[in-house]
Amino acid sequence: MICELLRQLVAIPSPTGSETELAIYCEQFLEQQGFQTQRQLLADGRFNLLAERGKAKNLLCAHLDTVPAADHWPHDPYTLLCDGDRLSGLGANDMKGGLAILLKLASDQQLLDLPLKIALTVDEEAWSAGAWQLIDSAWCQGLERVLIPEGVIDSQTPVIGYGRRGHGVFRLSFNGIPAHAAVLQSHAHTAIGQVASFIQQIPEIEQYLNAQNLACQIIVRQIESATVGLSVPAQSQCLLSCFSDPGTSLAQVYDYLAEHLAQSYPQATLAHALRPTPAPEAYALSPEQADLRQLAKAVENVTGRVAQLAIGVSPADENIYYQTLRLPVLSLAPVGSLAHQAGEWVSRASLEQIFKIYVDFLRSYS
C-alpha cells in the first residue's frame, strides 16, 4: 500500500506555492481514516492541513511541497518509476516517501486505538512559512514529541536525525575606489578586489570559528557588481549562507563576521538578508534523551542493527519546532538519494521497514 500511496502522491505536482491539490488529496484520505481535519490558512491563501484522532501527545509532521523539477529528468518526474528496489519520481526522497509512510500509519489497524496528531505543512522548501504558522497556533498544546519522516543525510541504512544545523544568510557590501579600468594598477582597494580577498579568507575564518567552538560552514551564494563603460565599480555585494552546528548561534557568527570586517575592511558593511520568517537556529537532542533512545530501540527491534544517529546537514521545519515548542524533535526517513536532483529516488524495501519502525515506536506509547 505504501508504494501505491507514493505513486499517487508523486502524480500530484506540489512545487512550493502550489500545494493545495496535494493537501486536498491528503485531507480526503485522512478523513476516511476517521481523523478530524482543519485547514490552517496562511496569509497568501495556502493552508496547512491539520488532522487529529483522539487526545494525542504524538505529532507526526511532513511538508507537502517539493522543489520544481530539475532539468534532464530521465523520465516523467510525476510518474513513479520502479527500477528494482528504487522508486524514482519528483519528491520521492524529499519528502513524499515520508509522507506516504505517514498516511499509511494513519490508516494502519495496529494504531487505530492510538491518538495521533498529523500536521502537513506548506513552504518548507522556501521559508517554512507553514511551520511558523503552525507553532503560532494553540493546536500544538499538550504534545510531548514531534516525529518527522524526512532524511537528514544520505545513507544506505536508517538514520535517526536528532538535530539539524542552523542557517543564516548575510549580505556583505564592499565600498572601493572607483577608477578608469584602463589605468587601474591594483585591485586591492577596489570593491571587487575586496570581495575576492574576503572569499579567499573564508577557510581561515571557518578555522578560527571552529577553534572558538563556533563551528560554521560559510558558502558564497551570490556576488553582485557592475558598472557602465570602462569604469571599475565602486561597490560590490556578496551573499553568504552560514550553516551553524548545534551549540553555535547565528548571532555569534554574525558578531564575528562584523568584527572581522571592521578590522580588515573598514568600508564594508554587514547585514542580515531580508526574509519573511526568522532564521532557523541549530539544535541537537542529548543522545540520552528518552524518546531518542526509544526510537533507537525500535530501529534495532525491526532491523537487528544498532541505530545510526546524525545531525541534519541542512535546516528544515524541525529547527522551528524545536526552537519554539522545546519538545523532542526526531527524524527517521526511508533510505533514498538525489533530493532536489533529476532522478531522485527512495528504496521500496526501506519504505516498509521505516513504517514498521514507527509502528513499533508509537505502540510503545499506547
Side-chain angles (χ1 to χ4, degrees):
M1 178 183 179
I2 299 179
C3 293
E4 175 57 22
L5 279 170
L6 179 58
R7 183 190 68 78
Q8 295 182 45
L9 296 174
V10 168
I12 303 173
S14 57
T16 304
S18 301
E19 303 96 338
T20 298
E21 184 181 356
L22 182 59
I24 292 173
Y25 170 89
C26 294
E27 180 180 50
Q28 294 172 348
F29 181 93
L30 290 168
E31 287 177 350
Q32 290 171 4
Q33 312 311 317
F35 282 79
Q36 299 293 317
T37 66
Q38 61 176 287
R39 298 180 179 185
Q40 185 181 56
L41 290 176
L42 277 68
D44 61 6
R46 289 182 293 165
F47 62 88
N48 296 328
L49 179 64
L50 310 182
E52 56 186 323
R53 184 176 62 198
K55 191 174 182 180
K57 296 182 179 179
N58 300 301
L59 174 61
L60 297 173
C61 291
H63 65 83
L64 295 165
D65 58 323
T66 71
V67 295
D71 294 333
H72 310 303
W73 261 83
H75 61 89
D76 176 10
Y78 301 109
T79 298
L80 191 67
L81 181 68
C82 179
D83 182 10
D85 183 53
R86 292 191 176 191
L87 303 174
S88 177
L90 178 59
N93 179 250
D94 184 12
M95 65 168 294
K96 291 185 176 180
L99 177 57
I101 291 173
L102 189 154
L103 294 180
K104 179 64 170 66
L105 290 168
S107 63
D108 190 72
Q109 296 295 314
Q110 302 173 79
L111 300 176
L112 287 180
D113 62 337
L114 181 69
L116 281 177
K117 277 192 170 184
I118 293 173
L120 306 182
T121 60
V122 299
D123 203 61
E124 192 270 354
E125 300 291 1
W127 304 106
S128 287
W132 282 105
Q133 185 78 10
L134 174 63
I135 59 90
D136 280 341
S137 70
W139 193 78
C140 293
Q141 290 180 359
L143 294 172
E144 293 185 357
R145 62 195 60 85
V146 180
L147 305 169
I148 304 180
E150 179 165 24
V152 290
I153 62 170
D154 279 357
S155 172
Q156 296 303 306
T157 57
V159 176
I160 298 175
Y162 69 106
R164 282 190 176 271
R165 295 200 296 179
H167 179 221
V169 183
F170 307 131
R171 184 174 296 278
L172 284 67
S173 297
F174 294 87
N175 297 303
I177 300 174
H180 193 296
V183 298
L184 183 68
Q185 299 297 314
S186 171
H187 278 290
H189 299 293
T190 66
I192 290 178
Q194 291 178 66
V195 169
S197 173
F198 174 82
I199 291 173
Q200 290 178 323
Q201 293 174 3
I202 287 178
E204 297 178 12
I205 293 172
E206 292 176 332
Q207 290 177 7
Y208 175 83
L209 289 170
N210 287 338
Q212 303 299 313
N213 294 317
L214 300 175
C216 181
Q217 180 186 15
I218 301 174
I219 303 296
V220 179
R221 288 178 46 205
Q222 187 181 65
I223 300 173
E224 297 178 356
S225 189
T227 189
V228 177
L230 294 178
S231 298
V232 175
Q235 188 177 71
S236 293
Q237 292 190 336
C238 178
L239 195 69
L240 303 181
S241 269
C242 296
F243 296 95
S244 57
D245 284 2
T248 300
S249 73
L250 296 174
Q252 290 172 311
V253 177
Y254 181 93
D255 288 345
Y256 174 74
L257 289 175
E259 180 182 347
H260 177 78
L261 289 173
Q263 294 177 354
S264 302
Y265 306 95
Q267 301 303 315
T269 59
L270 176 70
H272 292 276
L274 294 178
R275 51 175 295 151
T277 59
E281 293 283 355
Y283 83 96
L285 302 180
S286 164
E288 300 303 313
Q289 200 277 330
D291 292 302
L292 175 54
R293 295 183 66 177
Q294 188 64 36
L295 185 55
K297 181 180 178 182
V299 170
E300 191 167 356
N301 289 343
V302 173
T303 68
R305 300 178 180 177
V306 175
Q308 180 182 352
L309 308 182
I311 299 295
V313 295
S314 77
D317 285 351
E318 290 97 300
N319 302 69
I320 295 154
Y321 300 140
Y322 181 80
Q323 72 189 65
T324 55
L325 300 177
R326 291 299 172 182
L327 296 173
V329 179
L330 295 166
S331 307
L332 178 65
V335 169
S337 190
L338 300 182
H340 295 203
Q341 300 178 55
E344 71 170 296
W345 62 272
V346 68
S347 160
R348 176 199 293 267
S350 185
L351 286 171
E352 297 289 347
Q353 187 179 67
I354 299 301
F355 164 74
K356 293 177 182 177
I357 293 170
Y358 275 110
V359 169
D360 184 295
F361 178 79
L362 291 170
R363 290 298 300 171
S364 71
Y365 289 97
S366 65

